[in-house]
Amino acid sequence: MPLKPLAPGLLYRPCKQDQFSFDTTAELPDSTEMLGQSRAEEAIRFGIGIKRSGYNLFALGPGGLGKDEVIQRFLTPYAAGEPVPSDLCYVYNFHDAYRPNALELPAGKGSGFRDRMNRFVDDLRSSVPAIFESDDYRSRIDVINEEFKNQQEKAFDDLRTEAEAKGLTLMRTPAGLALAPVADGQVITPDDFNALPEAERAEIDASLKALQEKLLAIMHLVPQWSQERRERVRSIHRQMVKYTVDHLIRPIRSEYGDLPEISEHLDDVTKDVLENVDLFTGRPDQQVAPATAPQIPFGLMRPVEEPPYNRYHVNLIVNNGEVSGAPLIFEDNPTHQNLVGRIEHKVEMGALVTDFALIKAGALHRAAGGYLIIDARKLLTQPFAWDTLKRTLKADEIRVEGLERSVSVVSTVSLEPEAIPLNAKIILTGERQLYYMLCEMDEEFGDLFKVAVDFEDDLERDNASVQAYAQLIGTIAKRDQLLPLDRSAVARIIEHSSRMAGDSEKLSARFDRLADLVREADYWAGRTGKGVVTDQDVQTAIDGQMRRADRVRERTHEAIDRNVLLIDTQGEKVGQINGLSVLTMGNASFGRPSRITARVSIGTGQVVDIEREVKLGGPSHSKGVMILTSFLRGRFAPDQPLSLAASLAFEQSYGGVDGDSASSAELYALLSALADAPIKQSLAVTGSVNQFGEVQVIGGVNEKIEGFYDVCQKRGLTGDQGVLIPRANVKNLMLRRDV
């Protein structure tokens, strides 16, 4: 049956410029819809609308769709219309310093509360010391000191008077106060005392013993009186400081007192200041040691502690005062600490210490009340990050915990901050394979990410989509401040988009590559001084992309042209055919012809796939060979063994072969060898075959045709050269213009 070449109109589907009503994309409004992603859009609307635990989202689709950008662009208007979340801060816990308290304040109140407490501390630092320099304070302290002095002096004076009445005196010795008998105003020496009559000595001893007991009682009372004095001084301190603190904190109460947590915290602040008033004086209690009191030996004094002002500050970790709507956060580096926050440390006296002021917010804190977008692959490659996120989602609270404590790397003084309720939608993005792997391998994944947002790889190429695509192109140009594109440039980009989709009836959803093409076309238009991008600039950008990735293709075709790689494009051969394969390197793909040969002999029905035998054939290729073997058995020997031995090989193939798109070419080579019928070498063949001999669709048809075309063109086109493709692949044809 003669071959019927395809009509030129089937090889390429142009985009007509007259379907556009604009002159340049500058006239088009910005695109706000998710182009061709109605299923994904419905899933996102559902996921963000349902306010239930576990209904987080996973956006799945191939890389390059720009899922993160599309989701952010789609969610931005939703987030803008939602209420602004609360400010988050940590404050000192006066009941347990190692467990700081978390406070939530209405948006914008957090910074005000922090600033007011900072001013409170500044005022406290200046006002409290001033109290103890005032005349009123000094006079009240002087009264207490005078009373204490008089009390001691009276006790000792009374004792001295009683002693003198009994012929004794109270005197100071190196060992302290002591009582001794006197005569004629002089202390009696031990010798004189022993010379006294026994009755007189006994009377003096009795008086000494009685007075010494009174002296000892007075000495025991002195510390008690001193303690009473200090308590009275502290009472005055508290009275005077309380008045000052109440005066300073009253405006803060009036502004934030309607928030119970703030009011309770201010009560704790007031109580703590009064309980630690001595630390705020900057000096020890004033003490007056009367001349008659025993002297306290001089020793090493304990250093006075720094005033604990820092505990009254506020650590504002999330400030939403200048935010409009709910936050929309994208975390590009989702480590454990970047997700749930961290507790920093500082070195003091050679040890690592920390306090509540060193607590830092994570992405989950910043996204509270809004949305957090995370790349799933980056998340899974960070140690402990995936487990941390799951634990947070299951507990519905954000707990700041240092990673070093989880893995017991180092023992430091650390904190256990109060957990903050989690109120955010988590959106993971990743490839489909990653999503299905998590569904299969992690039993908790399905309970935490119940909404799958499945992005399409491409979209229908109808008039509505073409118009929306043009609008998207204009939006990209405006967003990146590029030159506007005229209708011819838009039409050429749409044609190339069908080429990227590998289907004349589809448009590619690889919007990242679309944006790259628009930017590169703008570059070439700018080089020529144009004010608008045309189809020539777009074509130059396309050619430039191919040129930059063309080295391997050129070297391959050069090797074929020099007969280093043996490919025939003329004549006829038995058991030899030109197969076609596609090589993909990065974002570039090109077709390469390959010689496929078959040899047959008498045997037991075995078809040897040489590629598989030497482990250069992939599973799909081996499957194709098995299928064609089954076809041969069913067609030629259904009732008896097939007396055939055959071998198939991709000649000069050293890097491995996979895919079943060459199975039809291999079948033709086998049939040629069996029938001793030559095959035209001016033709190349692609297509897979099933067990009934039907030719099936394959991928990369455009690159395969162009690869054989380039070889034939270099050797000289004869008019008889061509490529046989499956009929179902006709709709995929978007060949280069020269082809």
Side-chain angles (χ1 to χ4, degrees), residues 1 88 96 158 205 224 340 397 432 434 600 613 677 701:
M1 185 175 71
L88 301 177
D96 189 344
D158 291 345
D205 286 339
Q224 179 180 340
V340 298
E397 62 181 19
R432 292 192 179 94
L434 187 58
V600 296
E613 295 298 322
V701 64

Side-chain angles (χ1 to χ4, degrees), residues 102 138 236 272 297 464 479 493 548 561 584 599 614 625 627 648:
R138 290 179 177 177
I236 292 175
D272 185 76
R479 181 194 64 194
I493 290 176
R548 293 192 295 272
D561 187 53
T584 300
R599 298 300 299 268
V614 298
V625 174
I627 289 174
L648 292 169

Side-chain angles (χ1 to χ4, degrees), residues 263-565:
S263 180
E264 182 179 349
H265 177 69
L266 294 177
D267 290 342
D268 290 339
V269 169
T270 302
K271 182 179 179 181
D272 185 76
V273 173
L274 298 180
E275 289 179 350
N276 296 279
V277 65
D278 292 341
L279 297 177
F280 292 97
T281 63
R283 60 186 183 181
D285 292 337
Q286 294 191 18
Q287 302 179 13
V288 176
T292 56
Q295 297 296 317
I296 300 175
F298 177 80
L300 293 176
M301 295 185 62
R302 209 176 94 194
V304 179
E305 296 183 10
E306 287 293 325
Y309 294 116
N310 290 340
R311 68 179 67 173
Y312 308 131
H313 287 292
V314 174
N315 180 12
L316 181 63
I317 63 172
V318 176
N319 182 10
N320 290 317
E322 298 180 359
V323 175
S324 58
L328 182 58
I329 305 297
F330 175 74
E331 179 54 56
D332 187 55
N333 185 25
T335 63
H336 166 89
Q337 292 183 328
N338 287 348
L339 287 176
V340 298
R342 64 187 184 277
I343 303 173
E344 296 181 342
H345 292 76
K346 57 185 178 181
V347 179
E348 288 187 1
M349 305 295 290
L352 291 174
V353 297
T354 186
D355 58 38
F356 75 97
L358 297 177
I359 302 173
K360 306 300 179 183
L364 288 167
H365 295 101
R366 297 193 300 274
Y371 309 94
L372 175 61
I373 304 173
I374 307 174
D375 186 298
R377 184 173 295 276
K378 293 180 180 179
L379 176 69
L380 292 171
T381 55
Q382 294 291 342
F384 305 100
W386 175 240
D387 289 334
T388 296
L389 180 62
K390 289 195 299 180
R391 185 168 58 250
T392 302
L393 292 177
K394 285 189 292 184
D396 274 333
E397 62 181 19
I398 311 169
R399 188 171 297 277
V400 183
E401 184 177 14
L403 188 58
E404 67 280 355
R405 295 189 62 188
S406 300
V407 298
S408 300
V409 173
V410 63
S411 177
T412 60
V413 176
S414 192
L415 306 176
E416 296 180 14
E418 181 182 1
I420 294 176
L422 175 63
N423 179 26
K425 283 287 184 180
I426 311 301
I427 304 172
L428 297 183
T429 63
E431 298 82 4
R432 292 192 179 94
Q433 181 182 4
L434 187 58
Y435 172 78
Y436 295 127
M437 182 191 71
L438 287 171
C439 289
E440 181 70 21
M441 305 296 292
D442 193 330
E443 60 183 12
E444 298 174 327
F445 175 73
D447 295 331
L448 300 175
F449 293 88
K450 298 182 178 182
V451 182
V453 182
D454 198 351
F455 278 79
E456 299 286 353
D457 300 12
D458 48 42
L459 57 148
E460 293 295 328
R461 182 179 169 180
D462 52 26
N463 183 66
S465 296
V466 167
Q467 299 296 334
Y469 217 81
Q471 190 174 345
L472 176 61
I473 293 170
T475 302
I476 293 173
K478 293 175 185 176
R479 181 194 64 194
D480 294 351
Q481 299 181 344
L482 308 177
L483 294 173
L485 295 86
D486 66 11
R487 288 184 291 180
S488 68
V490 173
R492 183 67 190 96
I493 290 176
I494 289 174
E495 293 170 357
H496 187 67
S497 178
S498 288
R499 166 63 182 244
M500 289 192 298
D503 195 325
S504 62
E505 299 175 357
K506 301 284 185 179
L507 292 173
S508 173
R510 293 286 302 271
F511 299 127
D512 59 337
R513 295 181 62 181
L514 169 68
D516 291 341
L517 181 59
V518 174
R519 297 185 192 103
E520 293 175 25
D522 170 82
Y523 167 78
W524 292 112
R527 294 232 1 214
T528 58
K530 296 179 182 177
V532 66
V533 178
T534 66
D535 59 342
Q536 295 177 349
D537 303 311
V538 175
Q539 187 60 49
T540 302
I542 295 172
D543 294 341
Q545 289 178 347
M546 293 182 61
R547 172 64 179 168
R548 293 192 295 272
D550 208 26
R551 186 186 65 83
V552 176
R553 186 188 72 91
E554 283 190 356
R555 293 296 179 266
T556 301
H557 290 171
E558 179 184 342
I560 294 173
D561 187 53
R562 297 173 61 185
N563 289 322
V564 175
L565 295 177

Side-chain angles (χ1 to χ4, degrees), residues 21 23 99 106 121-122 128-129 147 248 342 363 430 496 544 586 681 706:
S21 60
D23 291 326
R99 289 178 171 83
V121 170
D122 291 340
V128 171
E147 291 179 0
L248 295 176
R342 64 187 184 277
H496 187 67
Q681 300 301 295
E706 292 165 357

